[in-house]
Amino acid sequence: MRLLLVEDDNHVAAALSAVLSRHGFDVIHARSGEEALRALLPGAGAPFGVVLLDLGLPDQDGFEVCGRIRKLTATPVIMVTARADVRSRIHGLNLGADDYVVKPYDTMELLARIHAVSRRTLPSDSGAGSGTGAGGEEGGEGPQPPLRLGPVTIELPTRQVSVDGATISLTRKEFDLLALLAQRPGVVFRREQIISEVWRTSWEGTGRTLEVHIASLRSKLHMPALIETVRGVGYRLVTPAG
């Protein structure tokens, strides 16, 4: 897999590149946001499987870079940063990051997350809004009817979500998570089951990422009661009135 490492610290980048190379990655190192964006331009080279994005870049904040990346490509982005607060995690995911890893991290943890997000990537990079996920595979006997849950409408084939007719912009995994819960409203999904179906991994460390995605969905939909936490078990979608 070709991987873009966006990191301004050459010592950190060299050490991480060596580890990634030993695990079969072709690592391209970008030292600034602009250098990373140039590497991701169409025609700049073979497509990348994953982008590892540091937030503390010399020319611009990594959050801004992530937003600009999302306008160029649907390549999975993992933010790698020392910013550990939940607000930063949610902000990064809202901008389109697929995962968020806090420094210092275990190398095997990072590798697990890279493989997890790469398994969710489509064969062709057709834009930030493309992709198939939970309930969104192509094929079947005909067009799938939208899921209607009170004011919420979920269009599985087009991966569009609206509330009272207003379109809500979701990241790939936010949509997959919502679609999974919405196909069986009222049913409690265990955390392990959600992680397996949405992230396609059984790695326990993904649990924190799940919590952040749930919080982000509640915020974006402006419906905090839509997804209920079942303590010690998991989550379920509560059908709203209206």
Side-chain angles (χ1 to χ4, degrees), residues 10-70:
N10 288 331
H11 294 291
V12 172
L16 183 54
S17 294
V19 172
L20 293 170
S21 296
R22 287 199 298 271
H23 284 82
F25 293 96
D26 178 14
V27 182
I28 306 300
H29 178 206
R31 295 166 180 80
S32 68
E34 287 301 326
E35 189 177 344
L37 292 166
R38 286 196 298 271
L40 289 164
L41 287 172
F48 291 97
V50 173
V51 176
L52 295 183
L53 176 63
D54 182 38
L55 295 184
L57 300 174
D59 57 341
Q60 54 192 299
D61 189 81
F63 287 132
E64 180 184 348
V65 176
C66 182
R68 294 176 66 184
I69 288 175
R70 273 294 156 260

Side-chain angles (χ1 to χ4, degrees), residues 100-121:
Y100 193 105
V101 177
V102 177
K103 299 177 181 178
Y105 52 80
D106 180 84
T107 303
M108 296 310 295
E109 170 187 342
L110 181 62
L111 287 166
R113 290 178 182 258
I114 292 171
H115 287 299
V117 300
S118 66
R119 283 195 294 268
R120 302 290 296 164
T121 307

Side-chain angles (χ1 to χ4, degrees), residues 212-233:
V212 174
H213 277 72
I214 291 289
S216 181
L217 273 175
R218 288 167 173 163
S219 175
K220 284 188 175 183
L221 297 172
H222 302 291
M223 302 176 69
L226 180 66
I227 301 174
E228 179 183 3
T229 301
V230 181
R231 190 176 299 277
V233 182

Side-chain angles (χ1 to χ4, degrees), residues 65-187:
V65 176
C66 182
R68 294 176 66 184
I69 288 175
R70 273 294 156 260
K71 295 178 181 178
L72 290 174
T73 176
T75 302
V77 174
I78 300 177
M79 289 184 172
V80 184
T81 175
R83 303 180 197 178
D85 60 289
V86 174
R87 184 171 298 180
S88 292
R89 292 172 182 263
I90 292 175
H91 184 48
L93 294 170
N94 284 343
L95 288 171
D98 294 84
D99 206 344
Y100 193 105
V101 177
V102 177
K103 299 177 181 178
Y105 52 80
D106 180 84
T107 303
M108 296 310 295
E109 170 187 342
L110 181 62
L111 287 166
R113 290 178 182 258
I114 292 171
H115 287 299
V117 300
S118 66
R119 283 195 294 268
R120 302 290 296 164
T121 307
L122 286 173
S124 62
D125 184 3
S126 56
S130 64
T132 58
E137 286 82 359
E138 295 180 0
E141 297 300 322
Q144 294 173 283
L147 299 175
R148 301 189 188 279
L149 304 160
V152 181
T153 299
I154 303 171
E155 301 277 356
L156 295 175
T158 60
R159 300 175 64 84
Q160 297 293 314
V161 176
S162 62
V163 177
D164 289 325
T167 300
I168 306 298
S169 178
L170 300 181
T171 67
R172 181 166 51 243
K173 283 193 174 59
E174 286 170 352
F175 180 89
D176 292 342
L177 175 55
L178 179 62
L180 174 67
L181 298 176
Q183 289 181 75
R184 299 175 67 189
V187 173

